Amino acid sequence: FLMALLQLLVAVFGLANSVNAFTSTKFPSLSTMTARSKTQLRMGLFDDPVGWIKRSIDVMNDKREATAYHILVPYTSRGGDGVAANAKLEDVKSKVTDLDSFSEFAKELSSCPSAPKGGLLGSFSRGAMVPAFDDVVFSSPLGEAQGPVNTIYGAHLIWVSERTAA
């Protein structure tokens, strides 16, 4: 019971994404924790609190890591439905043949700061990204364009190049 409570507190205060939060001397700053907590609140806590807590605990217990690339196309208007962004990414997805072509499209089209690196996000653990993005990265086949995936940041096309076993 105490471990579950501790995990819940960790999830609520945004420490779930820090590497080895309990054994490391590197803790995220208060502003980082606050930003993560606000983002997590927007990602389902109020919609389905029990589901959100269960997912948070599952994510914290998942020790896998993945290396992924993405193309981010923002919505045309704040709160937009992403129709234009999704259509653009569907077109790109039909033209992608391998990681090299994916990276070229990312350099050309992505609005993310990772664009100059071909959309490379690097390696990250489960729970480091928003849930919709995270779910695709940790469940989809390797070496294929996935998406479009809609998040609070816009529409994404995702390419997972590596993932560690559970």
Side-chain angles (χ1 to χ4, degrees):
F1 172 77
L2 289 176
M3 185 53 117
L5 179 60
L6 181 60
Q7 289 176 331
L8 173 61
L9 290 172
V10 167
V12 169
F13 290 105
L15 291 171
N17 296 331
S18 65
V19 179
N20 299 322
F22 297 108
T23 59
S24 173
T25 57
K26 275 184 115 173
F27 286 96
S29 68
L30 182 57
S31 61
T32 300
M33 289 190 300
T34 303
R36 285 182 184 160
S37 296
K38 287 179 183 176
T39 300
Q40 288 172 342
L41 290 176
R42 288 193 303 261
M43 296 184 299
L45 176 58
F46 293 124
D47 299 331
D48 178 16
V50 173
W52 184 86
I53 291 168
K54 286 180 181 177
R55 184 186 190 285
S56 295
I57 291 171
D58 289 345
V59 165
M60 285 188 296
N61 290 328
D62 189 340
K63 303 302 180 199
R64 295 179 295 164
E65 289 194 355
T67 302
Y69 298 72
H70 82 134
I71 300 169
L72 172 62
V73 176
Y75 303 132
T76 54
S77 62
R78 187 149 180 86
D81 60 7
V83 173
N86 285 331
K88 187 175 198 176
L89 290 177
E90 285 291 351
D91 181 52
V92 169
K93 185 178 179 179
S94 70
K95 296 174 183 175
V96 168
T97 58
D98 58 13
L99 180 55
D100 289 336
S101 64
F102 187 94
S103 291
E104 288 305 313
F105 280 113
K107 288 176 185 175
E108 180 183 326
L109 301 172
S110 184
S111 66
C112 182
S114 67
K117 297 184 289 180
L120 176 62
L121 295 170
S123 294
F124 51 89
S125 59
R126 183 99 197 269
M129 304 294 177
V130 293
F133 192 99
D134 197 62
D135 290 344
V136 170
V137 169
F138 286 94
S139 66
S140 64
L142 300 176
E144 296 177 10
Q146 302 294 326
V149 175
N150 293 294
T151 71
I152 60 175
Y153 303 105
H156 307 258
L157 206 57
I158 303 169
W159 186 285
V160 183
S161 61
E162 295 177 20
R163 186 172 42 239
T164 59

